[in-house]
Amino acid sequence: MNKIAAIFLIGLISAGALGVYISNLPGKKPFKRNGHNDISRAYMTKTANGGKRNVIKKGDRKLENSSSNIVTAVVLDYRGFDTLGEVTVLFAAIAGIGLLLGGSRRRRIRPAGPVISSMAPWIAAFIIITSAYIFLHGHLSPGGGFPGGAMIAAGFLIMVLGMGSRAPKIFKTIETFGGLAFITVGVIGFLKKGSFLQNAFGSGEVGTLFGSIFLGILYAIIGFKVAAELSSGFGEFVAEEEGKHE
Amino acid sequence: MNNTIFILGVGAFFLMMIGLYGVLTNRNVFRLILGLGLMETGVNLFIVGASYWKGGKPPILGTVFETKAVDSYADPVPQALVLTSIVIGLGVTALALALMVRLKETTKSIDIIETKEEEVNE
């Protein structure tokens, strides 16, 4: 498609969409203070008695789940089934990469110079410690299993690229058992509380690390699983690319 | 009219359109994947921007324990949905890049016009 036609088409779409958007731009009513809809309000109050209580105090105990980070509560508790599907999609994508690229031409990559290869494990150690903090505090502060897992993968990538070591085989095992562990936590909820992925570990005090141990367990599982998936997925690319140079 | 929502919405929409332009006009597969990534970022930004309102606090209980907590937060549901969307976008981009590597290996080209079926030797 040539450029003129593309610009014309995009202009057409823009004119239509912007017209609809501006004419329907939310006025004051849906976006004023206290304007959350019922679902968001129910997620935020997190009480089992119909969301009547409005203020959550420090030290509250009788909540549905006691995570401080409401986004984490939505992602892992209320929409935990959705997150299971998301993790499955990521697993499928990485398995597809392995299927496409995993051939016979896997070779070791050459290590970098002495400066990088001697400093790489130190940097990787600090990155992995920080990422453990991030995914363990996913229910208290911004962060969680997905960014924490991405950081662990970054730490391993520094070691792979700097020292020439290959991604260990154990990552495939961690991928598989991470998915199994997620489903196991869901089945425990089913057996103890009656529905899949329900919070079966109780909820403690708001704002403490062990108050919402359910979300902590799930985010630790997700963190390791995402780290293993990203590392092994990137390992396929690196092995393939470097094989051509040698 | 809320100015910030307007700017976020229009900016996100133009980000989507830039990505669409890239997808429509380029023949290089790598640029197509970049264009798809831009479109996806625009959609994510649009959804996050829809949850913004002036004075909304981040939905973390530790920050606003003292005030009337629930009513002062931004809406957490779009943010949770965008988290899902980002992760799936990562998977899609990675799989598309893997397909591109295979395409380059089999047909020696990543141009979608020059790539022909007959060049694939089994």
Side-chain angles (χ1 to χ4, degrees):
Chain A
M1 186 177 277
N2 63 24
K3 290 193 169 69
I4 310 288
I7 289 174
F8 181 71
L9 185 64
I10 284 172
L12 215 61
I13 295 174
S14 303
L18 284 182
V20 172
Y21 180 63
I22 290 172
S23 62
N24 285 326
L25 196 66
K28 292 191 174 56
K29 195 164 182 205
F31 280 85
K32 69 180 184 184
R33 285 176 74 91
N34 314 344
H36 301 300
N37 60 25
D38 291 343
I39 295 174
S40 303
R41 174 170 286 274
Y43 285 162
M44 280 189 281
T45 50
K46 294 200 287 193
T47 52
N49 55 1
K52 283 174 190 142
R53 185 167 47 176
N54 209 5
V55 184
I56 297 176
K57 295 187 195 66
K58 193 164 195 163
D60 268 356
R61 285 178 173 274
K62 290 185 179 173
L63 299 173
E64 274 181 345
N65 69 71
S66 54
S67 80
S68 295
N69 190 343
I70 303 175
V71 177
T72 300
V74 175
V75 165
L76 284 185
D77 198 349
Y78 299 111
R79 304 184 64 95
F81 202 74
D82 197 10
T83 304
L84 178 60
E86 172 188 356
V87 170
T88 312
V89 167
L90 192 60
F91 178 75
I94 302 298
I97 291 172
L99 197 67
L100 285 169
L101 297 183
S104 53
R105 300 194 298 126
R106 287 168 141 269
R107 300 206 185 132
R108 294 179 70 88
I109 52 177
R110 287 162 297 172
V115 176
I116 294 175
S117 63
S118 62
M119 283 308 287
W122 293 89
I123 299 171
F126 280 113
I127 288 177
I128 289 172
I129 289 171
T130 314
S131 71
Y133 165 75
I134 283 182
F135 72 69
L136 286 178
H137 274 229
H139 53 283
L140 299 178
S141 57
F146 293 103
M151 279 182 70
I152 294 182
F156 274 108
L157 288 189
I158 285 178
M159 279 165 61
V160 167
L161 292 177
M163 298 163 64
S165 57
R166 271 175 54 175
K169 292 262 189 227
I170 197 169
F171 280 155
K172 295 281 182 194
T173 318
I174 293 176
E175 263 182 74
T176 315
F177 280 95
L180 277 179
F182 200 111
I183 293 173
T184 307
V185 171
V187 170
I188 288 172
F190 177 69
L191 293 179
K192 286 181 76 172
K193 294 280 184 173
S195 77
F196 188 65
L197 275 173
Q198 196 172 357
N199 184 354
F201 298 88
S203 81
E205 195 176 326
V206 177
T208 55
L209 179 60
F210 294 105
S212 55
I213 193 68
F214 173 65
L215 304 182
I217 290 172
L218 280 187
Y219 252 166
I221 292 169
I222 290 176
F224 282 117
K225 188 168 159 58
V226 169
E229 276 166 356
L230 294 185
S231 306
S232 62
F234 189 79
E236 306 279 357
F237 278 105
V238 168
E240 194 72 20
E241 290 294 318
E242 283 294 320
K244 283 170 192 158
H245 292 296
E246 288 178 307
Chain B
M1 186 168 83
N2 199 329
N3 271 329
T4 314
I5 284 190
F6 180 72
I7 292 169
L8 271 175
V10 174
F13 181 76
F14 276 112
L15 205 55
M16 277 184 253
M17 286 302 116
I18 291 169
L20 182 62
Y21 177 78
V23 169
L24 287 178
T25 55
N26 281 298
R27 304 192 310 182
N28 188 325
V29 177
F30 184 67
R31 294 186 182 182
L32 296 186
I33 295 170
L34 283 185
L36 283 178
L38 265 181
M39 287 173 76
E40 183 191 297
T41 312
V43 173
N44 289 343
L45 185 61
F46 191 87
I47 299 174
V48 170
S51 77
Y52 174 86
W53 49 274
K54 197 177 177 189
K57 303 222 172 27
I60 294 173
L61 290 175
T63 57
V64 214
F65 265 132
E66 299 82 18
T67 60
K68 296 222 167 191
V70 167
D71 287 337
S72 59
Y73 292 133
D75 197 343
V77 181
Q79 304 187 12
L81 291 180
V82 166
L83 174 61
T84 308
S85 164
I86 290 171
V87 173
I88 289 177
L90 170 82
V92 167
T93 308
L95 193 59
L97 286 173
L99 283 170
M100 186 191 78
V101 171
R102 288 301 284 178
L103 184 72
K104 172 79 175 171
E105 276 180 1
T106 50
T107 66
K108 303 285 183 279
S109 164
I110 53 171
D111 190 304
I112 54 172
I113 305 290
E114 288 172 7
T115 303
K116 295 206 176 65
E117 293 273 340
E118 304 92 63
E119 293 177 38
V120 181
N121 43 355
E122 291 293 324

